[in-house]
Amino acid sequence: MTIIGSHVNMSGKEMFLGSVKEALMYEANALMVYTGAPQNTRRKAIEMMKVKEAHDLLNINNILLGNIVVHAPYIMNLANPAPEKQQFARDFLTQEVIRTSALGAKQIVLHPGAHVGSGEDEALKRIIAGLNEVIGNTANLDVKIALETMAGKGTEIGKTFAELATIIAGVTHNERVSVCFDTCHTHDYGYDVKNDFDQVLLNFDKIIGKNKISVVHVNDSKNPQGARKDRHANIGFGHIGFTALNYIVHHPNLLLIPKILETPYVKIDDKNIQAPYLEEIRNFKEKTFKKQGVLAHL
Ligand code: FE
Ligand code: FE
Ligand code: ZN
């Protein structure tokens, strides 16, 4: 069976238990959470996250812990040239890896970083040094850091497979490093995921090794190939399209890893927005694009 889910919330009193309940509403068997708001670094104590209750509910529904993905906040930047900010990112990522392990998840997705004017080569070195420190700090934990393929907006690092390969090669214990393949980001950078995903995968395999992909972010894109914008569209409503994304979701090389939707909520009326994930997941399971339910508002 396809391993598919979406980003879900982790907040309020229910925390991780609420995340699992939300995923079940979408008929998902995989899910991704931020351990708090993605745009800040305030976090609740692990003891308040309702991990035991969440695991019981996952068990009842036969959802494997390997299908749970954590995403690090996107504001943290291991490549930041300011030493104190760089150290903050390393310390925070260390805590995030510990939280990931406490949730029982096996991987945390990380945006490699942005050079913010300091140049790509120096940024790559700082990212490698940062990862080596974080992995050293958490040597006993069975958690991988999944470097996300980036769209290349601003000064983002990790937009080419070669940059990711450089990072991986520089990390001492790189068995702890994997890749999160984001369909919107790779398309936006310029890879032809729409018309020739197999060629893109072959290219990835030569440069990094396709077995390094540990999670796929399945998103359509609001912009044409190469636009370097990073604006996600609902599945079937963007420049990649349902056919290409459905091919990726069911690709034999990606069968055993979680596929995670990060598509935007849909505006129902002036006051309400709703998650599109139930309908998007159903469309992938049925391998047919239907403008049903929430998607009918698009
Ligand atoms: Fe991301
Ligand atoms: Fe993503
Ligand atoms: Zn994105």
Side-chain angles (χ1 to χ4, degrees):
M1 199 173 61
T2 324
I3 301 170
I4 188 158
S6 68
H7 153 72
V8 290
N9 293 299
M10 183 157 84
S11 58
K13 282 208 169 72
E14 296 240 279
M15 292 302 286
F16 192 30
L17 176 62
S19 314
V20 176
K21 285 181 181 172
E22 186 183 345
L24 292 171
M25 286 191 336
Y26 306 146
E27 299 172 359
N29 57 3
L31 58 100
M32 183 173 82
V33 293
Y34 287 86
T35 64
Q39 68 276 18
N40 69 45
T41 50
R42 287 190 301 275
R43 293 298 180 262
K44 271 190 189 167
I46 291 162
E47 299 72 45
M48 295 177 71
M49 290 188 176
K50 290 215 190 319
V51 176
K52 166 84 172 73
E53 294 91 328
H55 283 189
D56 288 344
L57 190 56
L58 288 166
N59 263 325
I60 295 167
N61 289 282
N62 295 312
I63 298 177
L64 302 174
L65 288 177
N67 297 347
I68 312 297
V69 180
V70 174
H71 197 310
Y74 46 71
I75 50 145
M76 54 171 304
N77 182 11
L78 285 180
N80 200 306
E84 68 285 356
K85 287 186 179 159
Q86 203 183 121
Q87 191 58 47
F88 176 82
R90 292 175 181 193
D91 294 343
F92 191 78
L93 184 58
T94 298
Q95 292 306 315
E96 284 282 271
V97 171
I98 293 168
R99 276 188 282 271
T100 301
S101 173
L103 292 176
K106 307 292 176 206
Q107 56 176 319
I108 176 164
V109 174
L110 175 73
H111 295 183
H115 71 71
V116 290
S118 65
E120 289 178 354
D121 291 344
E122 290 304 307
L124 286 165
K125 284 183 198 154
R126 283 193 290 272
I127 293 167
I128 291 166
L131 288 171
N132 275 325
E133 181 173 318
V134 171
I135 289 169
N137 290 343
T138 57
N140 54 334
L141 301 182
D142 176 24
V143 172
K144 284 186 175 160
I145 298 172
L147 305 173
E148 184 160 357
T149 57
M150 301 308 291
K153 67 176 186 299
T155 63
E156 278 173 354
I157 303 292
K159 55 200 179 296
T160 66
F161 300 158
E163 286 173 9
L164 294 175
T166 301
I167 297 171
I168 293 169
V171 173
T172 310
H173 289 286
N174 59 17
E175 70 280 3
R176 294 271 311 274
V177 181
S178 61
V179 174
C180 167
F181 188 102
D182 188 307
T183 57
C184 170
H185 297 176
T186 45
H187 158 93
D188 273 31
Y189 178 66
Y191 293 104
D192 194 0
V193 299
K194 177 187 169 73
N195 300 302
D196 203 352
F197 180 70
D198 279 307
Q199 187 57 48
V200 175
L201 196 59
L202 199 67
N203 184 13
F204 185 99
D205 194 39
K206 279 190 196 136
I207 297 169
I208 299 177
K210 65 185 176 191
N211 292 337
K212 273 289 187 194
I213 303 176
S214 59
V215 51
V216 179
H217 281 171
V218 184
N219 303 305
D220 214 326
S221 174
K222 290 192 172 160
N223 293 100
Q225 186 186 338
R228 295 174 74 154
K229 292 275 199 218
D230 188 6
R231 293 194 61 216
H232 302 185
N234 289 100
I235 306 299
F237 296 87
H239 284 259
I240 305 174
F242 180 79
T243 306
L245 292 168
N246 186 58
Y247 180 75
I248 295 168
V249 163
H250 297 285
H251 197 284
N253 289 158
L254 308 171
L255 221 51
L256 300 175
I257 60 170
K259 270 74 70 183
I260 301 290
L261 294 154
E262 303 176 293
T263 50
Y265 274 45
V266 175
K267 192 176 169 192
I268 304 296
D269 54 46
D270 281 346
K271 288 195 184 107
N272 297 291
I273 54 166
Q274 264 186 51
Y277 307 124
L278 173 63
E279 284 83 6
E280 289 182 333
I281 288 169
R282 280 186 177 166
N283 281 346
F284 281 131
K285 284 182 182 168
E286 292 161 17
K287 303 184 182 178
T288 335
F289 177 64
K290 287 192 205 123
K291 261 183 100 169
Q292 55 187 342
V294 173
L295 301 180
H297 293 270
L298 287 166

CSV table of all heavy atoms in Angstrom, one decimal, residues 40-67:
chain,number,residue,atom,x,y,z
A,40,ASN,N,9.0,29.8,14.4
A,40,ASN,CA,9.8,30.2,15.6
A,40,ASN,C,10.4,29.0,16.3
A,40,ASN,O,10.2,27.9,15.9
A,40,ASN,CB,8.9,31.0,16.6
A,40,ASN,CG,7.8,30.2,17.3
A,40,ASN,OD1,8.1,29.1,17.7
A,40,ASN,ND2,6.6,30.8,17.3
A,41,THR,N,11.1,29.2,17.4
A,41,THR,CA,11.8,28.1,18.0
A,41,THR,C,11.4,28.0,19.5
A,41,THR,O,12.1,27.4,20.3
A,41,THR,CB,13.4,28.4,18.0
A,41,THR,OG1,13.6,29.7,18.4
A,41,THR,CG2,13.9,28.2,16.6
A,42,ARG,N,10.2,28.4,19.8
A,42,ARG,CA,9.6,28.1,21.1
A,42,ARG,C,9.0,26.7,21.1
A,42,ARG,O,8.3,26.3,20.2
A,42,ARG,CB,8.5,29.1,21.5
A,42,ARG,CG,9.0,30.5,21.8
A,42,ARG,CD,7.8,31.3,22.4
A,42,ARG,NE,6.7,31.4,21.5
A,42,ARG,CZ,6.7,32.4,20.5
A,42,ARG,NH1,7.6,33.2,20.4
A,42,ARG,NH2,5.6,32.4,19.7
A,43,ARG,N,9.4,25.9,22.0
A,43,ARG,CA,8.9,24.5,22.0
A,43,ARG,C,8.4,24.0,23.4
A,43,ARG,O,8.9,24.5,24.4
A,43,ARG,CB,10.1,23.5,21.6
A,43,ARG,CG,10.5,23.7,20.2
A,43,ARG,CD,9.4,23.4,19.2
A,43,ARG,NE,9.7,23.5,17.8
A,43,ARG,CZ,9.4,24.6,17.0
A,43,ARG,NH1,8.9,25.7,17.5
A,43,ARG,NH2,9.7,24.6,15.7
A,44,LYS,N,7.4,23.2,23.4
A,44,LYS,CA,6.9,22.6,24.6
A,44,LYS,C,7.8,21.5,25.1
A,44,LYS,O,8.4,20.8,24.3
A,44,LYS,CB,5.5,22.0,24.4
A,44,LYS,CG,4.4,23.0,24.6
A,44,LYS,CD,3.0,22.3,24.6
A,44,LYS,CE,1.9,23.4,24.7
A,44,LYS,NZ,0.6,22.8,24.3
A,45,ALA,N,7.7,21.2,26.4
A,45,ALA,CA,8.5,20.1,26.9
A,45,ALA,C,8.0,18.7,26.3
A,45,ALA,O,6.8,18.6,26.1
A,45,ALA,CB,8.4,20.0,28.4
A,46,ILE,N,8.9,17.8,26.1
A,46,ILE,CA,8.5,16.5,25.6
A,46,ILE,C,7.4,15.8,26.4
A,46,ILE,O,6.5,15.2,25.8
A,46,ILE,CB,9.8,15.6,25.5
A,46,ILE,CG1,10.7,16.2,24.4
A,46,ILE,CG2,9.4,14.2,25.2
A,46,ILE,CD1,12.2,15.7,24.5
A,47,GLU,N,7.5,16.0,27.7
A,47,GLU,CA,6.5,15.4,28.6
A,47,GLU,C,5.1,15.8,28.3
A,47,GLU,O,4.1,15.2,28.7
A,47,GLU,CB,6.8,15.7,30.1
A,47,GLU,CG,8.2,15.2,30.6
A,47,GLU,CD,9.4,16.0,30.0
A,47,GLU,OE1,9.3,17.2,30.0
A,47,GLU,OE2,10.3,15.4,29.5
A,48,MET,N,5.0,17.0,27.7
A,48,MET,CA,3.6,17.5,27.4
A,48,MET,C,3.1,17.1,26.0
A,48,MET,O,2.0,17.6,25.6
A,48,MET,CB,3.6,19.0,27.5
A,48,MET,CG,3.9,19.4,29.0
A,48,MET,SD,4.0,21.2,29.1
A,48,MET,CE,2.3,21.6,28.9
A,49,MET,N,3.9,16.3,25.3
A,49,MET,CA,3.5,16.1,23.9
A,49,MET,C,2.6,14.9,23.7
A,49,MET,O,2.2,14.6,22.5
A,49,MET,CB,4.8,15.9,23.0
A,49,MET,CG,5.5,17.3,22.9
A,49,MET,SD,6.9,17.2,21.7
A,49,MET,CE,7.4,18.9,21.7
A,50,LYS,N,2.2,14.2,24.7
A,50,LYS,CA,1.3,13.0,24.6
A,50,LYS,C,1.8,11.9,23.7
A,50,LYS,O,1.0,11.5,22.8
A,50,LYS,CB,-0.1,13.5,24.2
A,50,LYS,CG,-0.9,14.3,25.3
A,50,LYS,CD,-2.4,14.0,25.2
A,50,LYS,CE,-3.3,14.9,26.1
A,50,LYS,NZ,-2.9,15.3,27.4
A,51,VAL,N,3.0,11.6,23.9
A,51,VAL,CA,3.7,10.6,23.0
A,51,VAL,C,3.1,9.2,23.2
A,51,VAL,O,2.7,8.5,22.2
A,51,VAL,CB,5.2,10.6,23.3
A,51,VAL,CG1,5.9,9.5,22.4
A,51,VAL,CG2,5.8,11.9,23.0
A,52,LYS,N,2.9,8.8,24.4
A,52,LYS,CA,2.4,7.4,24.7
A,52,LYS,C,1.0,7.2,24.0
A,52,LYS,O,0.7,6.2,23.3
A,52,LYS,CB,2.3,7.2,26.2
A,52,LYS,CG,1.5,6.0,26.7
A,52,LYS,CD,2.3,4.7,26.7
A,52,LYS,CE,1.6,3.5,27.3
A,52,LYS,NZ,0.5,3.0,26.5
A,53,GLU,N,0.1,8.2,24.3
A,53,GLU,CA,-1.2,8.1,23.7
A,53,GLU,C,-1.2,8.1,22.2
A,53,GLU,O,-2.0,7.4,21.5
A,53,GLU,CB,-2.1,9.3,24.2
A,53,GLU,CG,-2.4,9.3,25.7
A,53,GLU,CD,-1.3,10.1,26.5
A,53,GLU,OE1,-0.1,10.1,26.0
A,53,GLU,OE2,-1.7,10.7,27.5
A,54,ALA,N,-0.3,8.9,21.6
A,54,ALA,CA,-0.2,8.9,20.1
A,54,ALA,C,0.3,7.6,19.6
A,54,ALA,O,-0.2,7.1,18.6
A,54,ALA,CB,0.8,10.0,19.7
A,55,HIS,N,1.3,7.0,20.3
A,55,HIS,CA,1.8,5.7,19.8
A,55,HIS,C,0.8,4.6,19.9
A,55,HIS,O,0.7,3.8,19.0
A,55,HIS,CB,3.1,5.3,20.7
A,55,HIS,CG,4.3,6.1,20.3
A,55,HIS,ND1,5.5,5.8,20.7
A,55,HIS,CD2,4.4,7.1,19.4
A,55,HIS,CE1,6.4,6.6,20.2
A,55,HIS,NE2,5.8,7.4,19.4
A,56,ASP,N,-0.1,4.6,21.0
A,56,ASP,CA,-1.2,3.7,21.1
A,56,ASP,C,-2.1,3.8,19.9
A,56,ASP,O,-2.5,2.8,19.3
A,56,ASP,CB,-1.9,3.9,22.4
A,56,ASP,CG,-1.1,3.4,23.6
A,56,ASP,OD1,-0.1,2.7,23.4
A,56,ASP,OD2,-1.5,3.8,24.7
A,57,LEU,N,-2.4,5.0,19.6
A,57,LEU,CA,-3.4,5.2,18.4
A,57,LEU,C,-2.7,4.8,17.1
A,57,LEU,O,-3.4,4.2,16.2
A,57,LEU,CB,-3.8,6.7,18.4
A,57,LEU,CG,-4.9,7.1,17.4
A,57,LEU,CD1,-6.2,6.2,17.7
A,57,LEU,CD2,-5.3,8.5,17.5
A,58,LEU,N,-1.4,5.1,16.9
A,58,LEU,CA,-0.7,4.6,15.7
A,58,LEU,C,-0.7,3.1,15.6
A,58,LEU,O,-1.0,2.5,14.6
A,58,LEU,CB,0.8,5.1,15.8
A,58,LEU,CG,1.0,6.6,15.6
A,58,LEU,CD1,2.4,7.0,15.9
A,58,LEU,CD2,0.7,7.0,14.1
A,59,ASN,N,-0.5,2.5,16.8
A,59,ASN,CA,-0.5,1.0,16.8
A,59,ASN,C,-1.8,0.4,16.4
A,59,ASN,O,-1.8,-0.5,15.6
A,59,ASN,CB,-0.2,0.5,18.3
A,59,ASN,CG,1.3,0.2,18.4
A,59,ASN,OD1,1.9,-0.3,17.5
A,59,ASN,ND2,1.8,0.5,19.6
A,60,ILE,N,-2.9,0.9,17.0
A,60,ILE,CA,-4.2,0.4,16.7
A,60,ILE,C,-4.5,0.5,15.2
A,60,ILE,O,-5.1,-0.3,14.6
A,60,ILE,CB,-5.3,1.2,17.4
A,60,ILE,CG1,-5.2,1.0,18.9
A,60,ILE,CG2,-6.7,0.8,17.0
A,60,ILE,CD1,-6.0,2.0,19.7
A,61,ASN,N,-3.9,1.5,14.6
A,61,ASN,CA,-4.2,1.8,13.1
A,61,ASN,C,-3.0,1.2,12.2
A,61,ASN,O,-3.0,1.6,11.0
A,61,ASN,CB,-4.4,3.3,12.9
A,61,ASN,CG,-5.7,3.7,13.5
A,61,ASN,OD1,-6.8,3.5,12.8
A,61,ASN,ND2,-5.7,4.3,14.6
A,62,ASN,N,-2.2,0.4,12.8
A,62,ASN,CA,-1.1,-0.2,12.0
A,62,ASN,C,-0.2,0.8,11.3
A,62,ASN,O,0.2,0.6,10.2
A,62,ASN,CB,-1.6,-1.2,11.0
A,62,ASN,CG,-2.3,-2.4,11.8
A,62,ASN,OD1,-1.7,-2.9,12.7
A,62,ASN,ND2,-3.5,-2.7,11.4
A,63,ILE,N,0.0,2.0,11.9
A,63,ILE,CA,0.9,3.0,11.3
A,63,ILE,C,2.3,2.8,11.9
A,63,ILE,O,2.4,2.9,13.1
A,63,ILE,CB,0.4,4.4,11.4
A,63,ILE,CG1,-1.0,4.5,10.7
A,63,ILE,CG2,1.4,5.4,10.8
A,63,ILE,CD1,-1.7,5.8,10.8
A,64,LEU,N,3.3,2.6,11.1
A,64,LEU,CA,4.6,2.4,11.6
A,64,LEU,C,5.3,3.7,12.0
A,64,LEU,O,5.1,4.7,11.3
A,64,LEU,CB,5.5,1.7,10.5
A,64,LEU,CG,5.0,0.4,9.9
A,64,LEU,CD1,5.9,-0.1,8.8
A,64,LEU,CD2,5.0,-0.7,11.1
A,65,LEU,N,6.1,3.6,13.0
A,65,LEU,CA,6.9,4.8,13.4
A,65,LEU,C,7.8,5.4,12.3
A,65,LEU,O,8.1,6.5,12.3
A,65,LEU,CB,7.7,4.5,14.7
A,65,LEU,CG,6.8,4.3,16.0
A,65,LEU,CD1,7.7,4.0,17.1
A,65,LEU,CD2,6.0,5.6,16.3
A,66,GLY,N,8.2,4.5,11.4
A,66,GLY,CA,9.0,4.9,10.3
A,66,GLY,C,8.3,5.8,9.3
A,66,GLY,O,8.9,6.4,8.5
A,67,ASN,N,7.0,5.9,9.5
A,67,ASN,CA,6.2,6.7,8.6
A,67,ASN,C,5.9,8.1,9.2
A,67,ASN,O,5.2,8.9,8.7
A,67,ASN,CB,4.9,6.1,8.2
A,67,ASN,CG,5.1,4.8,7.4
A,67,ASN,OD1,6.2,4.5,6.9
A,67,ASN,ND2,4.1,4.0,7.3
